[in-house]
Amino acid sequence: MARIKLSVPEKSHFSTSIRLRISDINYGGHLGNDAVLSIAHEARMQFLAHYGWKELDVEGAGLIQSDTGIVYKSEGYYADEVQIDISIYDMHRCGFDMFYLMKNLSTGKVLAHVKTGMITYDYHNAKVMPLPESFRQKFSD
C-alpha cells in the first residue's frame, strides 16, 4: 500500500503556535493522532479570524471540509510549543486546499504535514457555491 505524500508549499499565508495540552497526549505519552486534526482545526480558526472571517462566512461563503490527509513525521509531548504554518493552494471553482506544517519550536522537528480540502458552501441554500473571487485574489501568487 502506497503511503500518503504531501508536498510542502513554498509560501505560507499565516503562522500561529499552540502549546500541546494534556488532552492532546495519548496512552503512549506522545501527541495523539486524533489531536493532530484538532490542532489543525484550531489553527484554521485562528487563520480565519486573522483575516476577519468565520467558517460560515469567508467573503460570503461558508466552508465545509471535504477531505483530510495527515503524514506524521515525529512525536510531540505535553507542553511542547507547536508552530503551525498555513498555506492556501490548489484553488478551484468551488474550493481550495489548506496545508498545515506543524513544527516543534524547541527541537525544530516537523511533527506533521496536514492537508484539508475545503469546499465553499452556501448554507442558506444548502449547496456548493463558487469560490469568492476576492478570496482567490488574496491568495494567488
Side-chain angles (χ1 to χ4, degrees), residues 11-25:
K11 184 175 182 180
S12 173
H13 299 102
F14 176 76
S15 186
T16 189
S17 64
I18 295 172
R19 186 170 304 281
L20 297 184
R21 307 161 302 168
I22 195 64
S23 59
D24 297 326
I25 307 305

Side-chain angles (χ1 to χ4, degrees), residues 63-130:
L63 296 178
I64 291 180
Q65 186 172 315
S66 62
D67 60 46
T68 302
I70 301 174
V71 177
Y72 304 98
K73 296 292 195 174
S74 67
E75 294 176 321
Y77 300 96
Y78 174 67
D80 283 352
E81 190 77 17
V82 177
Q83 178 176 317
I84 303 101
D85 295 328
I86 294 180
S87 303
I88 303 299
Y89 69 110
D90 198 22
M91 290 182 278
H92 51 87
R93 192 177 80 74
C94 294
F96 56 94
D97 286 340
M98 293 183 86
F99 182 89
Y100 313 72
L101 175 62
M102 296 184 180
K103 188 186 313 182
N104 185 316
L105 284 174
S106 297
T107 66
K109 289 183 177 180
V110 173
L111 296 176
H113 294 164
V114 181
K115 174 258 181 200
T116 57
M118 306 304 293
I119 301 296
T120 43
Y121 191 75
D122 179 342
Y123 278 91
H124 180 71
N125 293 306
K127 64 180 185 176
V128 172
M129 65 180 287

